[in-house]
Amino acid sequence: MVITELKEGKRNPSHIHVSVDGEYAFTTSIDLVARYHLKEGAALTGEQMQELLGEALLGQAKERALSLLSYRAYSRRELVKKLRERVPEETAEAAADRMEELGYLDDADYAARYASDLYHLKRKSLSHIRQALRLRGIDSEIMEQVLEPYEEEDEQGQILRVIEKKYRRRLEEDWEKNRPKVVAALMRLGFSYGDIKQALEEYGEDEDDGF
């Protein structure tokens, strides 16, 4: 196999399109071209070709990872899943490793920020937050460390804050009519029926047969 053309990318000159035996083979970075001393007319063994293809894929995966992380934070599982849309799993994992080394990917930091957003802004329950973190691949040890400060806060207090912020006017307008709707909404946030009932009682109304 012989390299027959090295052509700069039109949109990004640092990308080099490599043709082998007269046909396009892969796109890689100018750094990899320099590192492997690639030039037109150079012969490649099958082993060298496979190594270059692997390096090119990894480079593309790292570029995509950087691009994705520039828009928003990802957990490692989320990032690997996204990268696997274009590269093999092994390559996606290697790219994620590099992002961690560079400090751009950090599950502990991601989990802390995500949990804070769910708890303080969206008023989700701890059970809902725990499930959301689990779905994003957050390690159980990291998860418990992140949620420990919130465990000290009472769940009913969180429910009362949600009621005060989102449902106070509705309950004041018609307690009997709107209370079941509020209960259903709070349960969708992940709060238990028992905690909701106690919180509503504390809110100022006695339990009755309609609850």
Side-chain angles (χ1 to χ4, degrees), residues 96-116:
D97 287 342
R98 183 56 178 155
M99 295 304 104
E100 288 180 334
E101 291 170 5
L102 294 171
Y104 299 144
L105 186 65
D106 184 335
D107 270 5
D109 181 68
Y110 172 89
R113 292 172 182 273
Y114 190 65
S116 178

Side-chain angles (χ1 to χ4, degrees), residues 21-169:
D21 293 340
E23 296 184 358
Y24 169 78
F26 58 88
T27 297
T28 188
S29 68
I30 196 168
D31 292 336
L32 187 140
V33 169
R35 178 150 46 99
Y36 281 84
H37 307 290
L38 301 182
K39 59 183 180 180
E40 293 178 1
L44 296 174
T45 65
E47 184 178 349
Q48 288 173 326
M49 185 65 172
Q50 289 304 311
E51 185 177 347
L52 286 169
L53 287 172
E55 287 280 359
L57 272 178
L58 178 57
Q60 291 168 21
K62 288 190 289 188
E63 282 193 12
R64 178 158 171 73
L66 287 169
S67 177
L68 290 168
L69 290 166
S70 71
Y71 286 101
R72 73 168 179 88
Y74 283 79
S75 69
R76 182 185 174 99
R77 176 186 286 180
E78 287 179 314
L79 182 64
V80 168
K81 181 179 179 181
K82 195 73 175 174
L83 295 176
R84 285 182 62 193
E85 295 174 0
R86 300 188 183 182
V87 299
E89 182 175 1
E90 182 179 354
T91 305
E93 293 284 358
D97 287 342
R98 183 56 178 155
M99 295 304 104
E100 288 180 334
E101 291 170 5
L102 294 171
Y104 299 144
L105 186 65
D106 184 335
D107 270 5
D109 181 68
Y110 172 89
R113 292 172 182 273
Y114 190 65
S116 178
D117 179 65
L118 291 180
Y119 189 83
H120 294 294
L121 299 181
K122 298 185 178 179
R123 303 295 184 182
K124 299 293 186 179
S125 69
L126 290 184
S127 61
H128 178 101
I129 296 170
R130 186 173 278 105
Q131 178 65 11
L133 292 175
R134 188 176 294 114
L135 288 173
R136 284 157 180 78
I138 302 301
D139 178 79
S140 58
E141 184 175 346
I142 292 176
M143 190 190 308
E144 294 312 317
Q145 289 175 353
V146 166
L147 295 181
E148 185 177 0
Y150 303 110
E151 297 282 4
E152 298 174 1
E153 297 189 33
D154 124 53
E155 197 91 319
Q156 290 178 39
Q158 173 78 329
I159 296 171
L160 288 169
R161 286 191 289 274
V162 176
I163 292 172
E164 185 64 28
K165 182 178 180 180
K166 299 179 68 175
Y167 304 114
R168 177 175 60 83
R169 181 175 298 178

Side-chain angles (χ1 to χ4, degrees), residues 159-176 178-179 182 185-186 200 203-205:
I159 296 171
L160 288 169
R161 286 191 289 274
V162 176
I163 292 172
E164 185 64 28
K165 182 178 180 180
K166 299 179 68 175
Y167 304 114
R168 177 175 60 83
R169 181 175 298 178
R170 187 179 299 180
L171 289 172
E172 287 178 349
E173 288 174 353
D174 192 326
W175 176 272
E176 293 303 324
N178 291 323
R179 182 174 58 180
V182 172
L186 290 168
L200 283 171
Y203 192 69
E205 295 291 336

